[in-house]
Amino acid sequence: MVAVNRSPRRTGEEADPVLITEAAPSYDDQHAARKRKYMLMMSLRFPCLILAGIFYHTWWLALLFVALSVPLPWVAVLIANDRPPRKAEEVNRYRHEARAIEGHSHPVIDG
């Protein structure tokens, strides 16, 4: 029987990878994340307009929903075109102890 070393994490949950480089995420990953943010913000605009139509009897609430939906395209474009922030993760580097070749001094004879 072979013993298997299991992670303390639940099954099905992925372990966080060890960061070994300071490289930024790939452009494809950045683009996909920006598209997700844009689509999420733009998908909020339509429900705001629908809610404004539902609450048209309460004028201040309808006006609030319309006021929220007007700047959403502008904000979505600004956020989608912005570069991702630098991560504050520390790179996992191997640090070895500096050792001298010989640890003691030798007498020098001049002459």
Side-chain angles (χ1 to χ4, degrees):
M1 177 181 270
V2 177
V4 177
N5 187 8
R6 297 265 183 210
S7 170
R9 298 178 191 275
R10 295 185 304 260
T11 58
E13 186 177 329
E14 294 182 20
D16 293 332
V18 176
L19 181 65
I20 59 171
T21 180
E22 292 181 13
S26 70
Y27 288 118
D28 291 336
D29 292 341
Q30 290 179 16
H31 186 253
R34 289 195 319 261
K35 280 188 349 187
R36 278 192 305 272
K37 289 178 189 176
Y38 179 81
M39 293 304 293
L40 175 69
M41 292 191 72
M42 289 305 289
S43 66
L44 292 174
R45 187 172 190 215
F46 188 66
C48 281
L49 293 174
I50 296 297
L51 287 171
I54 291 173
F55 292 107
Y56 73 93
H57 291 293
T58 311
W59 67 269
W60 60 270
L61 193 55
L63 187 63
L64 177 72
F65 284 124
V66 169
L68 284 174
S69 70
V70 168
L72 273 177
W74 176 70
V75 172
V77 168
L78 285 179
I79 289 175
N81 288 334
D82 192 21
R83 69 174 180 83
R86 298 286 283 172
K87 291 187 177 181
E89 296 174 345
E90 186 169 327
V91 177
N92 187 10
R93 291 195 175 122
Y94 174 73
R95 290 179 174 77
H96 61 64
E97 185 178 314
R99 292 180 279 173
I101 295 175
E102 294 184 16
H104 58 281
S105 63
H106 296 285
V108 177
I109 302 174
D110 290 329

